[in-house]
Amino acid sequence: MIVANGFLRADGRKGIRNVVAVIYLVECAHHVARRVVDQAQDEDVHLLGFPGCYPNDYSLRMMKALATHPNVGGAVLVSLGCEGFNRDGLAAAITDSGRPVETIVIQEVGGTRSGITTALAAVERVKATMRERAQRVPMALSDLTIGAICGGSDGTSGIAANPAVGRAFDRLVDAGATCIFEETGEMIGCEDAMATRAVSPEVARNIDTAIRNAETYYLAMGHGSFSPGNADGGLSTLEEKSAGAYVKSGSRPISGVIRPTQAPDAPGLYLLDVVPDTAPKFGFPNISDNAEIVELMSCGAHLTLFTTGRGSVVGSAIAPVIKITGNAETYARMREDMDIDAGRIMQGEATLDQVGGDIFDLVLAVAAGEQSKSEMLGHREFILGYKTIDAVGPACHPGT
């Protein structure tokens, strides 16, 4: 099924958007980069960045993956000049991917005003090169990667919104797409059910290892993935929340377990494990919903399905976010931010399959260029922090 005219990249992947990423490499360069994006006055110029000064392998891998994401056509790097981030390594990775990139070092060009002016000119040059290189080609569902997360869950999430996403995932996987679900810290207790869906005993073991690692990490942190807002919204226990989070994966076989920055190399359904491998070092595994969206994007997600019971207004740089609520009151109150009303299921006005079909259809429409609500509203949130996550072996990331 042809779903869009995608932007062909040198590595053969295809994007549904053609974004210029303006990337600050330390918090000290954030202001200059933000002013560049603001003054560019172009909805396809997006702000990304890493605030830390001390280098971190995870953040470098993340930024390389994001700067060469299928939806990104080129980049401008904004460096203060004395930070620890490997700007030359990042620029080389972007160049090697066939994308134009320019680096602006604020300390070398004269300061804030000069940095903004210089970077704005670089954005225009990168955009011009992108226009010259742009190739639009047919994009099939087999070229598309879709992520899914929960945020602001309530009692309706596991009954309506998440299972409706699961039905959409089933249709997408059956049609040849790649689907990624995550939040292992919110699926503790579901490992046996997931293991029965694994394509091999080794993948089943990897699922079990990922969930046990999440449980160990959260116990060490002394804080589970359960908020006061979850309780106020009708969720009683972490177990109930876990079961609700799990059903967004649908029912199809699980092809593998991947880690941030690892793009699946074959269509199918994948579990993304974002919990660090080590004892707690940098804080909570996920500090916000947007951190999870960023990790899904680092694995190649062209867009993300975001279920929310209490309501959320976030979007994302680079990749569109589609928001689905199972709470009819939330949809009525926050209609300007919600894309799909899965509360119709709770009201007896629609079935899971019908809402799953609505989600499937909207995925195709957004892939073809229609803007999601968060895109229309200009939401371009982005966050990237320190973390310690090692790569996994090929058994977790099967090629078949």
Side-chain angles (χ1 to χ4, degrees):
M1 177 189 295
I2 302 301
V3 298
N5 284 321
F7 295 90
L8 181 64
R9 307 305 179 192
D11 63 4
R13 294 190 295 172
K14 301 166 187 176
I16 63 172
R17 301 291 186 267
N18 199 29
V19 169
V20 179
V22 176
I23 304 172
Y24 60 91
L25 305 183
V26 65
E27 186 61 26
C28 307
H30 189 164
H31 174 78
V32 169
R34 183 173 294 281
R35 286 298 181 90
V36 169
V37 173
D38 290 343
Q39 293 182 29
Q41 296 184 327
D42 185 336
E43 65 179 16
D44 290 326
V45 178
H46 291 195
L47 181 68
L48 283 68
F50 175 61
C53 188
Y54 187 80
N56 175 238
D57 288 342
Y58 161 82
S59 298
L60 178 59
R61 292 201 310 271
M62 286 287 291
M63 201 56 81
K64 286 180 177 179
L66 295 164
T68 58
H69 186 280
N71 291 352
V72 174
V76 173
L77 311 184
V78 182
S79 163
L80 175 63
C82 55
E83 69 274 2
F85 198 95
N86 184 356
R87 65 173 181 260
D88 293 336
L90 177 58
I94 298 169
T95 298
D96 290 345
S97 76
R99 293 166 171 81
V101 59
E102 294 199 28
T103 301
I104 308 302
V105 181
I106 297 169
Q107 292 170 345
E108 295 178 1
V109 300
T112 298
R113 291 189 181 89
S114 300
I116 293 169
T117 301
T118 306
L120 276 167
V123 168
E124 292 304 313
R125 289 191 295 271
V126 167
K127 286 167 61 177
T129 302
M130 288 168 54
R131 285 193 293 269
E132 293 172 2
R133 298 182 183 178
Q135 294 185 58
R136 301 300 298 270
V137 295
M139 187 171 179
L141 261 174
S142 57
D143 298 313
L144 195 64
T145 300
I146 306 98
I149 72 162
C150 314
S153 299
D154 70 4
T156 70
S157 296
I159 300 172
N162 288 351
V165 167
R167 300 296 173 94
F169 260 23
D170 285 350
R171 285 190 60 180
L172 288 162
V173 170
D174 289 347
T178 300
C179 293
I180 306 172
F181 69 107
E182 49 88 73
E183 294 170 303
T184 53
E186 293 188 1
M187 287 184 283
I188 295 168
C190 300
E191 57 271 20
D192 290 342
M194 280 191 283
T196 64
R197 295 168 55 195
V199 296
S200 71
E202 193 151 15
V203 171
R205 287 192 294 271
N206 292 332
I207 291 170
D208 184 72
T209 298
I211 301 299
R212 291 182 186 279
N213 182 51
E215 182 177 16
T216 299
Y217 198 95
Y218 277 106
L219 284 171
M221 290 297 301
H223 188 283
S225 183
F226 192 87
S227 71
N230 296 149
D232 290 344
L235 288 170
S236 61
T237 60
L238 179 58
E239 288 79 7
E240 184 181 4
K241 185 178 182 182
S242 294
Y246 167 57
V247 295
K248 70 180 181 293
S249 67
S251 64
R252 298 305 184 255
I254 299 172
S255 298
V257 179
I258 57 175
R259 308 304 301 276
T261 74
Q262 294 182 300
D265 48 19
L269 178 67
Y270 294 81
L271 171 64
L272 172 60
D273 176 15
V274 303
V275 176
D277 305 290
T278 63
K281 185 175 182 180
F282 294 121
F284 295 114
N286 298 308
I287 55 178
S288 75
D289 293 326
N290 281 94
E292 298 170 321
I293 293 171
V294 167
E295 287 174 316
L296 286 163
M297 292 191 304
S298 78
C299 296
H302 292 89
L303 56 88
T304 298
L305 304 176
F306 186 149
T307 66
T308 177
R310 302 300 302 275
S312 174
V313 299
V314 304
S316 177
I318 298 179
V321 172
I322 294 173
K323 289 200 284 295
I324 302 126
T325 182
N327 189 318
E329 292 181 1
T330 297
Y331 185 81
R333 188 174 60 251
M334 300 183 66
R335 183 185 296 265
E336 63 192 48
D337 287 278
M338 299 297 113
D339 294 282
I340 296 285
D341 178 14
R344 294 179 295 137
I345 297 165
M346 303 287 291
Q347 302 294 321
E349 298 171 357
T351 66
L352 283 171
D353 283 330
Q354 286 172 331
V355 176
D358 292 342
I359 297 169
F360 178 89
D361 291 341
L362 186 55
V363 166
L364 301 191
V366 171
E370 180 178 315
Q371 288 192 326
S372 68
K373 292 283 185 71
S374 64
E375 283 187 288
M376 292 180 200
L377 292 165
H379 281 283
R380 303 287 186 269
E381 288 86 348
F382 181 88
I383 184 169
L384 177 62
Y386 285 102
K387 215 170 193 180
T388 302
I389 288 186
D390 295 327
V392 295
C396 296
H397 186 215
T400 59

